[in-house]
């Protein structure tokens, strides 16, 4: 039968030479509008529909012609951090959504949004219904700074601040006060630079992006004119990439302000750095120390806003106003480095420095949270303990993405990490370590459970209704998209 097409319930399905599962086709389609395959197809469930979830699904579907994949997502909308984490002025990074959409529309893949795994359905119930369960739900927790005053008004995590301007429903009420002149961002990774750029970006640039309308309105009224991006180590250890730094350097109506003393000895160290790090450091040195050309000097002179990378500083305390209600400043410890390169450590000197500011944004990292008591979790590393994506002491359970490695790297890093997990799972199927011979009900039994519990999943065609509404709302005001900001609003459109 290989190579022939089979017309079945109005859908074309490739048989791909695996007649053993064609013989058991159910006569109909499942709730997602996808054809129901044989009960003896290997069934894999993925929890989380961000890059890790979709890349894992993509690899499984391409590598094996009989595997069926169901993706469960807590929100009614897919794509995780591609939708809610990527900066609005980086639309090219979001193009990966096209690839994920192809995967979601594949005949052997189904998407079920609005399903909160761990609450609406347990991991144990998923494990009974599927041959394998892959946890790819990312890192939705905040790392705490652990300093006095971090609960004052005016202190936010970068994760929440980014969620606010990107329309994450749980961050809709954030309403940050941008009435101060100086903002301090703790951390020097790409997310920290994204936040700095959004705070200082001219409104006429932002209003052409998919930034949410409440964020756009707040930024249009913002009094923030100076942003300090603080790191505990030196220029050679910054965590951002050259693209993000270059965008800050070229940001209209801004000029850089950096302390020459922070760059002592950096020029001499350049020759020993690996190429990407060398190019990044050279751009920093040039921006901080070199006298700019006439045109650039003119641009800087006209700028009404400033930004700077501030090195060798760690937060000690968030300082409050006299009423002890709001942020009025931040006390920073002055550090020195011990060791060299990436392995160097920041050591306290005993000196401190106070910076007046009304806004502090902590960009010191995301962290994963445990989903279910039955799943092993390393609370110190904030990951699920695993070996190449295989969850330890839990046959048939896997993890991919930040839950597997911690919150590091870019989308391409997550892609490779997810492909590795998919390969581990496929190896286990092939070797018999993962027994796929018993029939499993997959989404049939889970759909019945959800139905009984009054949970109505959002399938991919429902998401496409939401997508269409957002695109047309955006088009009406000259934006690529105007996002729906509440789960209720999303469900309303999905169920029309």
């Amino acid at each position: 039968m290989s190579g022939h097409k089979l017309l079945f319930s109005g859908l074309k399905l490739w048989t791909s030479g695996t007649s053993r599962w064609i013989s058991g086709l159910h006569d109909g389609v499942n709730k997602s509008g996808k054809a129901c395959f044989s009960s003896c197809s290997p069934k894999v469930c993925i929890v989380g529909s961000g890059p890790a979830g979709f890349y894992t699904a993509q690899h499984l579907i391409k590598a094996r012609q009989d595997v069926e994949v169901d993706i469960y997502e807590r929100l009614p909308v897919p794509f995780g951090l591609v939708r809610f984490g990527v900066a609005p002025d980086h639309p090219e990074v979001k193009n990966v959504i096209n690839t994920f959409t192809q995967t979601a529309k594949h005949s052997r893949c189904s998407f079920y949004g609005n399903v909160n795994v761990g609450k609406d359905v347990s991991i144990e119930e998923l494990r009974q219904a599927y041959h394998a369960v892959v946890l790819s739900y990312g890192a939705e927790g905040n790392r705490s700074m652990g300093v006095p005053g971090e609960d004052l008004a005016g202190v936010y995590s970068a994760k929440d601040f980014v969620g606010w301007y990107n329309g994450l429903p749980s961050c809709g009420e954030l309403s940050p006060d941008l009435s101060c002149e100086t903002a301090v961002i703790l951390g020097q990774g790409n997310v920290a630079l994204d936040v700095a750029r959004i705070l200082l970006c001219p409104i006429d640039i932002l209003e052409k992006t998919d930034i949410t309308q409440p964020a756009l309105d707040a930024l249009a009224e913002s009094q923030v004119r100076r942003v300090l991006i603080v790191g505990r180590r030196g220029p050679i250890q910054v965590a951002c990439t050259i693209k993000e730094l270059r965008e800050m350097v070229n940001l209209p109506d801004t000029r850089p302000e950096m302390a020459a003393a922070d760059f002592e000895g950096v020029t001499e160290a350049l020759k020993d750095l690996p190429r990407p790090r060398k190019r990044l450091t050279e751009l920093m040195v040039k921006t901080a120390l070199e006298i700019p050309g006439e045109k650039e000097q003119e641009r800087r002179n006209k700028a009404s806003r400033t930004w700077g990378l501030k090195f060798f500083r760690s937060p000690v305390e968030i300082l409050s106003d006299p009423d002890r209600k709001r942020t009025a400043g931040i006390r920073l410890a002055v550090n020195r480095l011990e060791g060299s390169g990436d392995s160097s450590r920041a050591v306290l000197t005993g000196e401190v420095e106070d910076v007046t500011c009304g806004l502090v944004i902590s960009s010191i990292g995301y962290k994963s949270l445990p989903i279910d008591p039955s799943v092993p979790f390393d609370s110190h590393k904030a990951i699920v303990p695993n070996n190449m994506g295989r969850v330890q002491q839990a046959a048939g359970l896997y993890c991919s993405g930040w839950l597997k490695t911690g919150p590091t790297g870019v989308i391409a890093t997550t892609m490779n990490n997810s492909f590795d997990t998919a390969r581990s799972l496929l190896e286990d199927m092939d070797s018999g370590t993962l027994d796929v011979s018993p029939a499993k009900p997959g989404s049939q039994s889970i759909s019945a459970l959800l139905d009984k519990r009054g949970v109505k999943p959002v399938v991919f065609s429902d998401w496409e209704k939401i997508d269409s509404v957002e695109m047309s709302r955006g088009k009406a005001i000259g934006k690529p998209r105007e996002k729906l900001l509440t789960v209720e609003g999303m469900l309303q459109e999905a169920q029309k």
Side-chain angles (χ1 to χ4, degrees):
M1 292 183 63
S2 178
H4 295 286
K5 287 180 183 174
L6 176 71
L7 286 173
F8 163 64
S9 296
L11 296 170
K12 284 180 184 172
L13 303 177
W14 281 100
T15 64
S16 305
T18 45
S19 54
R20 66 180 179 81
W21 48 269
I22 293 296
S23 61
L25 283 167
H26 303 293
D27 186 20
V29 292
N30 66 20
K31 287 190 176 182
S32 68
K34 298 289 174 72
C36 300
F37 294 95
S38 151
S39 56
C40 59
S41 302
K43 290 184 172 65
V44 178
C45 146
I46 293 174
V47 180
S49 71
F54 267 107
Y55 280 128
T56 306
Q58 179 189 315
H59 193 84
L60 289 171
I61 287 164
K62 279 187 176 173
R64 188 162 164 146
Q65 301 303 309
D66 59 345
V67 73
E68 294 172 41
V69 178
D70 292 333
I71 301 173
Y72 291 89
E73 165 62 51
R74 188 183 56 187
L75 289 169
V77 295
F79 311 132
L81 277 187
V82 180
R83 178 180 167 101
F84 296 117
V86 173
D89 59 342
H90 282 175
E92 72 290 347
V93 181
K94 299 184 190 190
N95 289 341
V96 72
I97 283 174
N98 301 331
T99 312
F100 296 163
T101 297
Q102 282 179 341
T103 300
K105 293 176 108 164
H106 193 284
S107 58
R108 288 184 282 114
C109 185
S110 298
F111 170 79
Y112 299 100
N114 195 42
V115 178
N116 191 341
V117 173
K119 185 179 167 197
D120 298 334
V121 60
S122 71
I123 293 290
E124 201 43 55
E125 286 166 335
L126 291 176
R127 291 180 76 181
Q128 283 170 18
Y130 291 88
H131 294 103
V133 174
V134 184
L135 303 174
S136 305
Y137 61 83
E140 57 178 329
N142 291 315
R143 288 192 184 278
S144 161
M145 288 185 282
V147 301
E150 70 178 309
D151 52 352
L152 284 168
V155 182
Y156 305 94
S157 73
K159 185 188 79 66
D160 292 348
F161 195 81
V162 169
W164 168 70
Y165 64 62
N166 274 332
L168 184 63
S170 60
C171 300
E173 303 300 310
L174 201 70
S175 188
D177 182 352
L178 306 178
S179 61
C180 60
E181 185 179 321
T182 301
V184 169
I185 302 172
L186 299 165
Q188 294 179 328
N190 284 345
V191 174
L193 268 69
D194 281 346
V195 169
R197 199 175 63 253
I198 296 298
L199 281 170
L200 297 176
C201 191
I203 289 298
D204 60 343
I205 294 175
L206 287 179
E207 62 192 6
K208 297 185 184 76
T209 73
D210 69 357
I211 193 168
T212 67
Q213 200 56 47
L216 193 60
D217 294 343
L219 289 161
E221 299 295 315
S222 170
Q223 299 302 303
V224 175
R225 295 290 176 269
R226 176 175 176 242
V227 176
L228 296 175
I229 308 159
V230 177
R232 62 195 166 86
R233 297 191 293 170
I236 290 171
Q237 290 83 28
V238 292
C240 65
T241 52
I242 193 165
K243 175 182 180 284
E244 273 67 23
L245 180 63
R246 196 178 284 123
E247 285 176 320
M248 285 305 304
V249 172
N250 297 327
L251 190 64
D253 195 32
T254 70
R255 68 174 177 273
E257 282 186 353
M258 288 190 258
D262 283 352
F263 290 85
E264 272 177 33
V266 171
T267 310
E268 297 74 56
L270 278 173
K271 62 180 188 309
D272 299 323
L273 298 177
R275 190 164 180 271
R277 171 70 67 189
K278 184 180 181 183
R279 287 174 60 232
L280 171 65
T281 312
E282 281 171 342
L283 177 59
M284 256 184 291
V285 168
K286 183 183 178 190
T287 306
L289 303 182
E290 285 185 20
I291 296 165
E294 195 178 328
K295 197 175 170 188
E296 173 63 8
Q297 189 62 62
E298 191 183 340
R299 185 186 82 84
R300 290 186 188 184
N301 290 343
K302 286 181 182 170
S304 68
R305 302 173 179 204
T306 67
W307 64 273
L309 293 164
K310 196 171 180 66
F311 298 101
F312 310 111
R313 301 289 186 276
S314 302
V316 175
E317 184 182 354
I318 312 297
L319 307 171
S320 70
D321 64 3
D323 299 336
R324 300 199 172 280
K325 287 192 179 153
R326 283 203 52 79
T327 301
I330 184 167
R331 179 160 294 156
L332 299 169
V334 180
N335 304 327
R336 61 181 173 77
L337 285 192
E338 272 186 8
S340 61
D342 287 344
S343 59
S344 63
R345 283 186 325 120
V347 178
L348 297 175
T349 61
E351 289 176 58
V352 294
E353 175 186 7
D354 290 354
V355 176
T356 302
C357 64
L359 180 65
V360 174
I361 297 174
S362 165
S363 185
I364 57 173
Y366 293 38
K367 71 170 181 181
S368 296
L369 302 171
I371 193 171
D372 190 292
S374 69
V375 178
F377 191 79
D378 181 334
S379 51
H380 178 65
K381 292 182 181 171
I383 59 167
V384 168
N386 70 91
N387 178 13
M388 293 295 285
R390 298 174 178 94
V391 176
Q392 288 169 14
Q393 282 102 42
L397 198 57
Y398 299 81
C399 58
S400 67
W402 284 0
L403 185 64
K404 170 184 170 185
T405 59
T408 56
V410 292
I411 289 176
T413 324
T414 297
M415 178 182 76
N416 291 325
N417 143 357
S418 305
F419 286 177
D420 284 345
T421 292
R423 275 191 283 270
S424 291
L425 201 164
L426 292 162
E427 279 169 21
D428 292 351
M429 280 187 190
D430 292 343
S431 69
T433 309
L434 181 66
D435 186 4
V436 293
S437 60
K440 292 273 191 171
S443 63
Q444 275 188 319
S445 68
I446 300 301
S447 294
L449 277 177
L450 294 172
D451 201 34
K452 210 182 288 180
R453 291 165 189 173
V455 178
K456 191 166 169 42
V458 170
V459 296
F460 203 76
S461 56
D462 297 332
W463 147 248
E464 290 181 313
K465 292 179 203 168
I466 297 170
D467 187 35
S468 172
V469 167
E470 291 185 342
M471 302 280 265
S472 57
R473 284 178 43 166
K475 194 175 179 185
I477 52 172
K479 294 172 73 176
R481 171 188 301 275
E482 185 60 46
K483 291 173 184 170
L484 297 170
L485 302 181
T486 65
V487 168
E488 294 73 34
M490 293 167 184
L491 292 176
Q492 215 173 331
E493 295 301 336
Q495 287 157 12
K496 278 184 181 174

